[in-house]
Amino acid sequence: MKLPQIGDIRDAAERLSGQAVFTPLLGSSLLDDMLDARILFKAECLQRTGSFKFRGAYNALQANENEIGEAGVVACSSGNHAQGVAEAARVLGMAATIVMPSDAPETKKARTARSGATIVEYDRIAEDREQIANDISAQTGARMVHPYNDFHVIAGQGTCGLEIAGQCESLDLSPDRLLVCTGGGGLLAGVRLAVTDLFSDVAVHTVEPENYDDQARSHASGTRMGNNTGGPSICDAIVTPSPGELSFEMCRGKLAEGLVVSDDEVLTAIAFAFRELKLVVEPGGAVTLAAMLAGKIAVKGQTVVATLSGGNADPAIINRALEA
Amino acid sequence: MKLPQIGDIRDAAERLSGQAVFTPLLGSSLLDDMLDARILFKAECLQRTGSFKFRGAYNALQANENEIGEAGVVACSSGNHAQGVAEAARVLGMAATIVMPSDAPETKKARTARSGATIVEYDRIAEDREQIANDISAQTGARMVHPYNDFHVIAGQGTCGLEIAGQCESLDLSPDRLLVCTGGGGLLAGVRLAVTDLFSDVAVHTVEPENYDDQARSHASGTRMGNNTGGPSICDAIVTPSPGELSFEMCRGKLAEGLVVSDDEVLTAIAFAFRELKLVVEPGGAVTLAAMLAGKIAVKGQTVVATLSGGNADPAIINRALEA
């Protein structure tokens, strides 16, 4: 299994230059006072397409540009990878087919469609999205772009970590902890690699929704595991069945305790982000803030960098958070 | 009349270092495609206290630290200057009394109170807020901090322009136009001075709400004028009676055409900011984006910097925008 190295992330950063947003690292003096800590948010909700996913998608498409034919690319995604692939394909002049669950947030479906992608809907309960995407790939010759278990996708997400490392360095801050919103682990693996290249002692924590703590349990046990329970979660962007193989290998034995948050804790975080950070953050992108606000991790006296990984929230969920 | 110079803005930047947020300059590839232009937003909604007002307030309080006694400071404001003064006073260990209209947005009242300021409410229609504040000043010895007609306040707001100039320089961009959300003109005057110090050819436009176009008409006529009409406006932050004396003198004869937007155009901009920029922007902070989306100014092929000057919006107005 060939794993991305720091040089692959640097190559990705070159490809993404001028296309991806160099997102700000934002603090909140109120939150710092509340937690007696220095908290810095990598605001990937401000990234092109509204989440970090554009980074990996664009890197994967451009790195494979010569191998991608007229049939273009195919991807399955609940919405953020969909938008990332669709927009990257538009920019690079490729065709894109996206397999999306019929109950994906309307915001995500509409934004994917406007980049010119063909959307194929499926039933999240009854059908297997990867099978559908693989079938399309086999029939049309379109290249499958996996949302996280892909060398170039992980390297692309890692550019977020390169930026974090550089931003911490220029602020003369050495982070004690790094909290990453984690689904399949593409962002986690790439960001961990890039940040620890400069700050080797940082404790890296996955943050996941309740009932979808496959990363926490897999890294605790040292072997890839599925979810015990499943069930409803508002964090659609990071509800994944198990850690991806590549990202798991990249992080094996290198993570601190995995954190888990409830839907209510996430709603509190979304409302805090709206009121105090003036950011629109979607549920899956707010789990890191939720973990800190709920006291799931001791941060007193520490410098903590946390990803806010996406902002493609339907207004209804923001309202629910503000009314909670 | 002693007017702030570029050196006063540089002094303010030193005072504000480590206290104010160096806010990002954010773009939107979607908006750039829509307008065939390069648009950059100075996201002051991400500033400490949720608007640029912290800059001027902190600068004024610190510059006058030795003259401010136990009675502290007094200010009148519909909310953003209130929060700026209250928070700056808290940081500097000063007492603060804020005169606020009883119908100010709840968000702004609550956020002002939590910084520890004493709030004195008044009736916006029947009472004169400056008179109330002046009376308090006369009775207690508290130092009055005017929201815009103040040397150090204007110099502080100018730090926003210093940042814009530096950010444009490091992006190797020369702005053709600068659009500034304008009430009394403190931000306008400071930002114009700082940006034109580096980019002397930039066309600077005020943007105001319909019925409150005192700046546009004053600068067109060359003399300070009040509003012709008045009436309701959702842009509470920038509804002011006439240009401040200092800011008017600083800008006299140096501005391009003043732009004016309607409430509906502002609501469209708030919704765009929420959906596409993932930013919570208040009505008065969204007028620049509103002007561009409504086609009030030709920007095709140009580089435009626009302030998004505040984000202290009540959820109700965001919902109204999203439902419009």
Side-chain angles (χ1 to χ4, degrees), chain A residues 47-51 53-54 80 83-84 87 111 312, chain B residues 278:
Chain A
Q47 184 53 262
R48 189 167 182 172
T49 72
S51 89
K53 291 284 191 178
F54 178 78
N80 284 338
Q83 289 171 71
E87 179 67 1
R111 293 167 58 94
N312 292 314
Chain B
K278 310 303 178 188

Side-chain angles (χ1 to χ4, degrees), chain A residues 178-252:
Chain A
L178 172 66
L179 271 57
V180 185
C181 309
T182 308
L187 181 66
L188 168 75
V191 167
R192 194 208 69 80
L193 179 59
V195 173
T196 57
D197 187 64
L198 201 58
F199 299 102
S200 56
D201 291 339
V202 65
V204 181
H205 301 264
T206 55
V207 191
E208 295 171 285
E210 233 170 44
N211 301 329
Y212 293 91
D213 59 346
D214 50 293
Q215 294 275 358
R217 292 184 303 106
S218 296
H219 284 286
S221 72
T223 178
R224 287 171 65 226
M225 301 169 78
N227 295 299
N228 265 343
T229 45
S233 167
I234 58 172
C235 301
D236 61 280
I238 55 172
V239 162
T240 41
S242 62
E245 287 180 57
L246 287 171
S247 65
F248 186 74
E249 281 308 311
M250 290 173 70
C251 295
R252 190 203 289 267

Side-chain angles (χ1 to χ4, degrees), chain B residues 199-279:
Chain B
F199 299 102
S200 56
D201 290 338
V202 65
V204 181
H205 301 264
T206 55
V207 190
E208 295 171 286
E210 234 171 45
N211 300 330
Y212 293 90
D213 59 345
D214 49 293
Q215 294 276 359
R217 290 183 305 105
S218 296
H219 285 286
S221 72
T223 179
R224 287 171 64 227
M225 301 169 78
N227 295 300
N228 265 342
T229 45
S233 168
I234 58 172
C235 302
D236 61 280
I238 54 173
V239 162
T240 41
S242 62
E245 286 180 58
L246 287 171
S247 66
F248 186 74
E249 279 309 309
M250 290 173 69
C251 296
R252 190 204 289 268
K254 295 171 179 164
L255 301 184
E257 173 203 4
L259 310 177
V260 178
V261 292
S262 70
D263 278 3
D264 281 349
E265 289 161 350
V266 171
L267 289 170
T268 299
I270 290 172
F272 187 94
F274 182 100
R275 293 195 183 105
E276 304 301 337
L277 308 179
K278 310 303 178 188
L279 293 174

Side-chain angles (χ1 to χ4, degrees), chain B residues 114-129:
Chain B
R114 80 175 184 207
S115 287
T118 302
I119 296 179
V120 175
E121 294 197 12
Y122 76 99
D123 181 326
R124 195 199 287 264
I125 310 300
E127 298 180 278
D128 176 346
R129 66 181 193 174

Side-chain angles (χ1 to χ4, degrees), chain A residues 113-131:
Chain A
R114 81 176 182 204
S115 287
T118 302
I119 295 178
V120 175
E121 294 196 14
Y122 76 99
D123 181 328
R124 195 198 285 265
I125 311 299
E127 298 180 275
D128 177 346
R129 67 180 192 175
E130 287 206 27
Q131 188 58 52

Side-chain angles (χ1 to χ4, degrees), chain B residues 34-286:
Chain B
M34 283 167 60
L35 300 178
D36 191 12
R38 177 82 183 260
I39 313 296
L40 294 159
F41 294 106
K42 183 64 170 169
E44 284 294 297
C45 47
L46 304 176
Q47 185 52 263
R48 190 167 183 171
T49 73
S51 89
F52 71 93
K53 291 283 191 179
F54 178 77
R55 298 177 184 266
Y58 188 89
N59 188 51
L61 267 56
Q62 212 200 31
N64 294 301
E65 205 167 12
N66 295 331
E67 287 82 53
I68 295 171
E70 284 210 1
V73 293
V74 58
C76 48
S77 161
S78 73
N80 284 338
H81 180 58
Q83 290 172 69
V85 171
E87 178 68 0
R90 187 185 71 82
V91 173
L92 294 166
M94 299 173 181
T97 304
I98 311 289
V99 181
M100 293 184 85
S102 49
D103 64 348
E106 288 305 320
T107 298
K108 295 181 177 178
K109 281 199 269 191
R111 292 168 58 94
T112 302
R114 80 175 184 207
S115 287
T118 302
I119 296 179
V120 175
E121 294 197 12
Y122 76 99
D123 181 326
R124 195 199 287 264
I125 310 300
E127 298 180 278
D128 176 346
R129 66 181 193 174
E130 287 206 26
Q131 189 57 53
I132 297 172
N134 283 328
D135 287 351
I136 292 171
S137 176
Q139 285 158 21
T140 66
R143 186 185 181 94
M144 173 82 171
V145 186
H146 196 276
Y148 48 85
N149 197 33
D150 179 291
F151 183 97
H152 290 293
V153 167
I154 294 174
Q157 320 304 30
T159 61
C160 174
L162 272 192
E163 293 175 10
I164 291 171
Q167 288 166 312
C168 285
E169 201 175 30
S170 66
L171 289 169
D172 207 13
L173 289 175
S174 175
D176 298 297
R177 296 185 193 277
L178 172 66
L179 271 57
V180 185
C181 309
T182 308
L187 180 67
L188 168 75
V191 166
R192 193 208 69 80
L193 179 59
V195 173
T196 57
D197 187 63
L198 201 57
F199 299 102
S200 56
D201 290 338
V202 65
V204 181
H205 301 264
T206 55
V207 190
E208 295 171 286
E210 234 171 45
N211 300 330
Y212 293 90
D213 59 345
D214 49 293
Q215 294 276 359
R217 290 183 305 105
S218 296
H219 285 286
S221 72
T223 179
R224 287 171 64 227
M225 301 169 78
N227 295 300
N228 265 342
T229 45
S233 168
I234 58 172
C235 302
D236 61 280
I238 54 173
V239 162
T240 41
S242 62
E245 286 180 58
L246 287 171
S247 66
F248 186 74
E249 279 309 309
M250 290 173 69
C251 296
R252 190 204 289 268
K254 295 171 179 164
L255 301 184
E257 173 203 4
L259 310 177
V260 178
V261 292
S262 70
D263 278 3
D264 281 349
E265 289 161 350
V266 171
L267 289 170
T268 299
I270 290 172
F272 187 94
F274 182 100
R275 293 195 183 105
E276 304 301 337
L277 308 179
K278 310 303 178 188
L279 293 174
V280 179
V281 184
E282 65 181 284

